[in-house]
Amino acid sequence: MITVKEANKIISANLIDLPLENYASIQAIGKVLQEDIMADRDFPPFHRAMMDGIALRCKAWKAGQKRFEIVGTQLAGSPPQVLENTDTAIEIMTGAVCPQNADTIIPIEHIEIEEIDHQRFALITTESVKEGQNIHLQGTDRKKDDILIPKGCVLTSSEMAVLATIGKSEVLVKKNPSIAIISTGDELVDIQEIPLPHQIRRSNVYALQSALKERFLDSSLFHLPDDKTLIEKELNTILQNFDIIILSGGVSQGTADYIPEVLQQLGVKQLFHKVKQRPGKPFWFGKKENKAVFALPGNPVSTVVCFYRFVLPFIYKTLGIHDVPKYKARLESDFVFLPELTYFLPVKAYTNAKGELMAKPFVGQGSGDFANLLVCNAFLELPEQQTHFRANEPLSLIWMKAINI
Ligand code: AMP
Ligand code: MG
């Protein structure tokens, strides 16, 4: 049996290749960028007014002038005017180009307007004026040709704003993998069915499909009964049509646990079976050509743990996401786990008054107790070589939820 670390290493060494594609930027939310995105011009592209007010030459104010004739109006979207006479000022709006020869903007809150014979004058009512104030100078955020978004970035709303600004309507991205999620087991019926007393409704596949959906990944669902011949036939077709296959159930020692055997018959090479962990010990992983197969134990908490600890990181690496953040949280209270297994402790992660990320354990009733996960948002990974964990000890945190509210 291998350790969690070893399992992770094997999985990371067996990524699959996915093709690249051009994608309409505004549809590409959640996609992984495969090109560096450069600034098409300076950010901001001109000296930009940051406030509504008047633009003037600071030298005049410094020389003691407090009253300026307003000789024009500089609106956003108009070409720059010229401040011909530096004893005068130009009324200006946020987002407008700073007029030539002006170098300072006094906000409207700091002036009083006087009107005499259709002439307007601004009386400056503040003593604090700094040369250059309220002007966002051209190129101070980014310069033309600077890399704005690096390859490997997941496109979110922030990237959308930048792509739109530079007029990039198409981006090169990794094509998402096609993913099949398969439940197995004769005891399982679907949502709309009424289970007999000895049956249950299948839940794992919906948990996984939703977890993928939260990350903008589509998947297709299948169900297989505990029938070797049928499993072989159906799996054979599924293997031809999908890049990543996630099975739940049928990988333990039971007499109806056919999955590992059938997968190998179908030419999927077993890369490991069983990991020193709880829950999820019977976890199986294999590969056939450019396809990866994750056969997860069917117990709902086991399925979920294996998915977040192994499957999702595999997908992220396959997509070429750079800098996937790693988190640590402090245990809220002492915790003991004696078996020589990595234990994935269900927790609720929160920030304490000191601003530290804490983890409150919710042990639950074992790998079947998926209702316990309702109060949890993460797992804490307790390494197998340690048995006693102290309150405040920082440990690796595996987030479960993409929607953080
Ligand atoms: P297995 O790994 O097939 O031995 O299943 C272990 C336990 O998980 C059994 O109690 C199954 O009924 C349950 N189980 C398996 N698959 C699912 C599923 N898709 N949804 C809910 N429970 C499941
Ligand atoms: Mg089963």
Side-chain angles (χ1 to χ4, degrees):
M1 203 167 9
I2 61 169
T3 64
V4 164
K5 256 199 179 145
E6 287 161 345
N8 195 45
K9 225 171 151 186
I10 294 171
I11 290 172
S12 303
N14 283 283
L15 303 180
I16 55 169
D17 288 324
L18 296 169
L20 307 186
E21 61 180 350
N22 278 309
Y23 217 83
S25 298
I26 53 168
Q27 313 285 355
I29 182 92
K31 297 263 180 195
V32 184
L33 194 64
Q34 295 299 316
E35 58 177 328
D36 288 332
I37 299 294
M38 255 83 86
D40 63 329
R41 53 183 186 153
D42 288 344
F43 268 45
F46 49 82
H47 299 330
R48 190 182 69 94
M50 294 161 72
M51 303 280 264
D52 296 327
I54 54 164
L56 49 72
R57 187 73 170 234
C58 197
K59 222 166 105 191
W61 181 83
K62 277 186 187 153
Q65 190 183 339
K66 297 282 139 73
R67 192 167 175 270
F68 289 75
E69 185 186 351
I70 300 174
V71 294
T73 301
Q74 180 74 61
L75 296 170
S78 300
Q81 300 189 9
V82 183
L83 189 69
E84 302 282 4
N85 180 344
T86 52
D87 292 347
T88 62
I90 290 177
E91 184 182 25
I92 193 160
M93 309 301 157
T94 304
V97 186
C98 186
Q100 273 178 44
N101 299 334
D103 59 13
T104 300
I105 292 173
I106 316 287
I108 200 141
E109 296 81 358
H110 292 164
I111 55 174
E112 275 168 19
I113 303 282
E114 269 177 24
E115 213 167 320
I116 305 167
D117 292 339
H118 303 294
Q119 291 278 91
R120 291 198 305 150
F121 296 87
L123 192 69
I124 298 172
T125 57
T126 181
E127 285 309 313
S128 75
V129 173
K130 268 193 17 227
E131 188 172 332
Q133 70 177 27
N134 301 318
I135 299 172
H136 193 181
L137 289 179
Q138 178 173 344
T140 46
D141 294 349
R142 299 288 186 277
K143 293 266 183 272
K144 181 177 189 295
D145 297 328
D146 277 357
I147 294 178
L148 298 177
I149 317 175
K151 181 178 166 178
C153 179
V154 182
L155 298 176
T156 69
S157 52
S158 311
E159 285 76 31
M160 290 302 155
V162 169
L163 292 173
T165 295
I166 64 166
K168 183 105 173 116
S169 55
E170 267 202 351
V171 277
L172 188 69
V173 296
K174 255 292 161 81
K175 194 165 192 280
N176 281 351
S178 53
I179 304 173
I181 305 174
I182 312 166
S183 53
T184 68
D186 286 344
E187 73 280 28
L188 304 173
V189 301
D190 211 348
I191 295 185
Q192 65 283 353
E193 292 174 62
I194 310 284
L196 296 169
H198 52 275
Q199 294 178 320
I200 56 167
R201 293 194 185 90
R202 45 183 176 264
S203 58
N204 294 350
V205 286
Y206 295 106
L208 299 192
Q209 184 169 53
S210 305
L212 290 168
K213 210 175 202 172
E214 282 177 339
R215 291 155 181 89
F216 305 99
L217 294 161
D218 291 330
S219 57
S220 305
L221 299 188
F222 298 90
H223 178 70
L224 300 175
D226 290 323
D227 175 323
K228 214 163 143 186
T229 319
L230 256 175
I231 293 176
E232 190 171 344
K233 187 170 159 269
E234 299 275 322
L235 258 184
N236 191 29
T237 315
I238 294 168
L239 267 169
Q240 286 165 30
N241 294 326
F242 292 89
D243 301 315
I244 298 173
I245 292 115
I246 309 170
L247 288 128
S248 123
V251 287
S252 314
Q253 308 290 339
T255 44
D257 290 335
Y258 301 124
I259 299 298
E261 186 190 334
V262 174
L263 282 170
Q264 292 193 76
Q265 274 167 22
L266 291 171
V268 183
K269 188 176 173 225
Q270 176 184 311
L271 293 167
F272 63 75
H273 187 191
K274 293 192 187 144
V275 179
K276 282 192 195 166
Q277 62 178 6
R278 184 178 298 167
K281 196 156 92 178
F283 177 25
W284 188 101
F285 174 65
K287 211 175 163 194
K288 183 182 183 180
E289 291 142 16
N290 194 35
K291 290 159 193 292
V293 181
F294 295 85
L296 317 181
N299 264 314
V301 185
S302 311
T303 301
V304 165
V305 160
C306 290
F307 174 81
Y308 287 105
R309 179 61 178 89
F310 300 104
V311 183
L312 205 52
F314 168 89
I315 296 175
Y316 286 168
K317 284 182 194 135
T318 285
L319 286 169
I321 301 177
H322 74 110
D323 287 348
V324 176
K326 289 200 166 94
Y327 292 93
K328 286 206 167 187
R330 294 177 188 276
L331 255 182
E332 194 190 76
S333 46
D334 289 351
F335 193 84
V336 178
F337 184 76
L338 296 176
E340 209 187 301
L341 301 168
T342 295
Y343 182 53
F344 293 100
L345 171 65
V347 296
K348 175 155 179 97
Y350 67 95
T351 311
N352 69 10
K354 286 194 257 171
E356 298 162 324
L357 189 58
M358 303 296 293
K360 182 182 174 66
F362 286 90
V363 177
Q365 305 299 314
S367 53
D369 184 6
F370 60 103
N372 180 53
L373 298 184
L374 293 172
V375 290
C376 301
N377 54 7
F379 292 96
L380 214 53
E381 184 169 330
L382 312 187
E384 83 270 2
Q385 69 278 15
Q386 197 178 333
T387 52
H388 290 68
F389 301 89
R390 298 228 152 261
N392 278 316
E393 191 173 334
L395 292 154
S396 293
L397 186 82
I398 301 151
W399 287 107
M400 215 180 5
K401 313 232 174 180
I403 300 170
N404 201 7
I405 44 175

